[in-house]
Structure formats: C-alpha cells, structure tokens
C-alpha cells in the first residue's frame, strides 16, 4: 500500500477521533507515523503536533458554532500548561527513542484502561475552581511537551471530573486546550527535526480535517459510551504493540 493511501487512511481515523471524542488524535497519529509511514519517534511526535493543530482548529470552529466551548475555562487551563509544555518539548529531544516510545505507550495504555474501567463521563456542570484548572492544565502541558500529544484523551476527563464541565462542553473546550498546548510545544521543537515529509504530512492533515467533521456528526448520533469503548480497545492494542517494540 502506498504512503499516500496510508496517510489518507490514518488521517481520516485521527480526524474521526478528534471530532467525536475531543481528543485521541495524536495517540493514534504517532504510532501510524512510526509504524506505517516510517517516521522516527521524534519526527512522528513533532509531525503529530502539526496534524493535531490543524485538525483541532477545524473541529473547534464547529463546536464553537454550537456553543459548546467554554473559552474562559479553556484558556485558563491551557495557559497553565504552556510553560510545562515548552519545557517538556525541549526535554523530549534529549530522550532515547526507545524511552520516548515506551513512555508514550505507557500513557496511552493508562488512558485506555481508565476509559474501559470508568463509567461514561457525566453531562453535568459545576462551578470551575481556577486553582484546579491551573494544576490540571500544568500537568497536561507537561505530558504534551514530552510525548508530543495534544492531550485531549486526558483533557476531557479532567475538564469533566476535575472542573465539572458538561461532557459536550468538555469535548469542545478540550480542542481549544489541545491547540494551545500543541502550538507551545511546536515552538520549542523548532529545529529538532531537520525536515518533515510534507508529501505525507499534507495529505494526512487534509484527511484528518475531513474526518473531524464526520466525527462531530458521529458524536451527535452514537452513544458516548460505545465510542469511548471502541477508542479504548484500539488505543490499548496500539499501546501494547508499541511497548513490545520498545523493549525488544
């Protein structure tokens, strides 16, 4: 199968995840770039940030039109993560590739198990505490910087469970957080990768943007619990494969 077809297919899946779940794009993009398209771990995590920025902005605009973005909360959450994201981005380039792969697999597996073990995130609202928002945002920013993931698969549970946002608002707001954190990390990673293969990254981004629109429509029709379980199983399989590859 050609690199173009693989990029288009993987991009569509990444876009579906971002559009439907408000996260999960980069935890699928990174292994696809490494194992299907031949990127190194550092190049893959950097390319995934570029892909996720473009896709998240597209999905964010759709959720914002429906009134499901909490701008003040999202910006506070994201602002607290900018510093840790930039520091993590600078640190990531110094990690051995096997360690970076293993760390990524560990975080992905933990996120998948959390999704499988917990009940669906409640569609309830509660007052947002700025201190909690800042602490959660800082932690997410660090993960984004080191592992090159937008962090939506962690941001949505944090926005609901820690900050008390409604599920639909959390999905939309997470896209704002993902965009800010990913841009901050890219600033610090500038120059760490000689050149991205835009013949692959470009079609990947295009397919992901189209997939994000379909994902938003899918989220409006399908059960949130079903989507959560499907994504978790796929993520767990990817994490297991990456972990085995890192230690062998």
């Amino acid at each position: 199968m050609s690199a173009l077809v693989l990029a288009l297919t993987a991009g569509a899946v990444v876009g579906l995840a971002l559009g439907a779940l408000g996260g999960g794009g980069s935890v699928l993009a990174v292994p696809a770039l490494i194992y299907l398209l031949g990127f190194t771990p550092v190049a893959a995590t950097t390319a995934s940030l570029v892909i996720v920025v473009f896709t998240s902005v597209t999905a964010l605009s759709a959720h914002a039109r429906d009134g499901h973005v909490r701008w003040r909360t999202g910006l506070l959450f994201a602002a607290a993560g900018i510093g840790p994201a930039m520091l993590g981005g600078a640190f990531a380039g110094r990690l051995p590739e096997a360690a970076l792969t293993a760390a990524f697999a560990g975080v992905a597996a933990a996120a998948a198990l959390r999704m499988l073990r917990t009940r669906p995130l409640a569609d309830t609202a509660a007052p947002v505490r700025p201190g909690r928002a800042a602490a959660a945002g800082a932690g997410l920013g660090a993960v984004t910087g080191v592992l090159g993931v937008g962090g939506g698969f962690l941001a949505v549970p944090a926005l609901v469970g820690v900050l008390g946002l409604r599920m639909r608002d959390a999905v939309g707001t997470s896209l704002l957080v993902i965009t800010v954190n990913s841009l901050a990390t890219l600033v610090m990673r500038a120059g760490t990768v000689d050149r991205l293969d835009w013949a692959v990254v470009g079609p990947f981004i295009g397919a992901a943007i189209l997939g994000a629109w379909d994902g938003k429509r899918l989220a409006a029709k399908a059960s949130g619990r079903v989507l959560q379980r499907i994504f978790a199983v796929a993520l767990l399989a990817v994490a297991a494969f990456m972990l085995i590859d890192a230690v062998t």
Side-chain angles (χ1 to χ4, degrees), residues 16-243:
L16 279 171
L18 276 168
L21 302 172
S26 49
V27 293
L28 295 176
V30 170
L33 289 165
I34 294 174
Y35 298 109
L36 297 179
L37 298 167
F39 282 53
T40 66
V42 173
T45 54
T46 302
S48 76
L49 290 168
V50 177
I51 293 163
V52 167
V53 165
F54 280 98
T55 311
S56 295
V57 168
T58 301
L60 174 63
S61 65
H63 284 272
R65 278 198 298 272
D66 292 340
H68 293 308
V69 179
R70 296 278 294 275
W71 294 97
R72 183 175 179 180
T73 299
L75 289 173
L76 174 61
F77 192 96
I82 290 176
M86 296 180 77
L87 290 174
F91 177 70
R94 301 176 182 177
L95 288 175
E97 290 189 354
L100 191 62
T101 301
F104 186 97
V107 170
L113 290 173
R114 178 187 175 94
M115 288 181 181
L116 288 172
R117 292 171 57 187
T118 57
R119 297 177 180 178
L121 296 172
D123 193 19
T124 58
V128 175
R129 298 182 180 180
R132 286 189 176 185
L140 182 65
V143 172
T144 299
V146 174
L147 300 183
V149 297
F153 66 103
L154 297 175
V156 172
L159 289 167
V160 174
V162 178
L163 303 186
L165 269 64
R166 293 185 177 89
M167 181 59 187
R168 288 189 177 184
D169 289 348
V171 170
T173 305
S174 76
L175 293 165
L176 173 61
V177 176
I178 290 168
T179 301
V180 174
N181 281 350
S182 297
L183 284 171
T185 304
L186 280 171
V187 170
M188 290 305 297
R189 289 200 176 196
T192 61
V193 179
D194 291 337
R195 186 178 65 88
L196 293 179
D197 187 353
W198 287 102
V200 172
V201 175
F204 201 122
I205 291 171
I209 289 174
L210 293 176
W213 288 101
D214 291 333
K216 183 180 179 299
R217 288 194 289 267
L218 178 63
K221 298 177 181 179
S223 163
R225 182 57 171 165
V226 171
L227 291 173
Q228 187 174 315
R229 282 187 173 275
I230 292 173
F231 177 72
V233 171
L235 186 56
L236 192 59
V238 169
F241 180 82
M242 294 185 75
L243 190 57

Side-chain angles (χ1 to χ4, degrees), residues 1-13 33 36-37 199-205 207-208:
M1 190 177 295
S2 70
L4 177 60
V5 173
L6 288 172
L8 291 172
T9 303
V13 173
L33 289 165
L36 297 179
L37 298 167
V200 172
V201 175
F204 201 122
I205 291 171

